[in-house]
Amino acid sequence: MKNFSSKTGFVLKILVIVFISLPLVGACRRDRSTLNTCLPKSRQLTDVIVAEDSGNNLKTVTISDKLRELQASCPNNRLVDAKGTEIVFSDRLQSCGGAGFNQEILQQRRKELETLQQKYTVIIVECNNNGIPIP
């Protein structure tokens, strides 16, 4: 009888831990889905913003990874970092295939990016947001 009671106590402790943890798991999922609603329609949490091919290993950083790093939240449907600065997305400065930009256009885009960076936290999204390396 003593053995049964110790097993029951162990099971009860496990159940208590599980029930205490459930709200924390739900909060993480809720935060992720909330962040998703704050993204521009052209972006998804799974979009790759950086893909680096180092030999046999492809390392990717997604929008979700970057937002986690920035400790982003979504109060009042505004995507903000931990400091409360609004987060915006920008495509990379240079052309994504095809003909490149001339120097005048590149200079204009750099100036626009600098202006954005003064007011916002800017996440620059590469052309290849699925993470497959472009030869």
Side-chain angles (χ1 to χ4, degrees), residues 4 6 9 105:
F4 176 75
S6 67
I105 293 173

Side-chain angles (χ1 to χ4, degrees), residues 1 6 22 34 48 57 60 63 81 94 103 107 116 126:
M1 198 68 175
S6 67
L22 284 176
T34 301
V48 174
N57 193 11
T60 59
I63 288 176
D81 64 15
Q94 297 179 341
Q103 290 303 314
Q107 188 171 355
L116 278 176
E126 294 292 326

Side-chain angles (χ1 to χ4, degrees), residues 28-41:
C28 292
R29 287 186 180 150
R30 185 172 53 251
D31 287 346
R32 183 179 169 102
S33 65
T34 301
L35 290 178
N36 203 27
T37 62
C38 278
L39 291 178
K41 294 199 184 312

Side-chain angles (χ1 to χ4, degrees), residues 64-92:
S64 179
D65 297 330
K66 188 66 176 176
L67 293 178
R68 190 176 311 111
E69 176 189 319
L70 294 170
Q71 299 176 358
S73 61
C74 186
N76 302 321
N77 289 327
R78 281 184 55 232
L79 191 60
V80 297
D81 64 15
K83 298 175 187 173
T85 305
E86 189 168 356
I87 299 170
V88 296
F89 296 88
S90 177
D91 293 320
R92 74 181 229 175

Side-chain angles (χ1 to χ4, degrees), residues 42-43 88-94 96 101 109 113 116 122-129:
S42 62
R43 308 286 184 210
V88 296
F89 296 88
S90 177
D91 293 320
R92 74 181 229 175
L93 289 179
Q94 297 179 341
C96 296
F101 294 125
R109 295 209 44 205
L113 181 59
L116 278 176
V122 180
I123 296 176
I124 297 175
V125 181
E126 294 292 326
C127 305
N128 181 16
N129 66 4

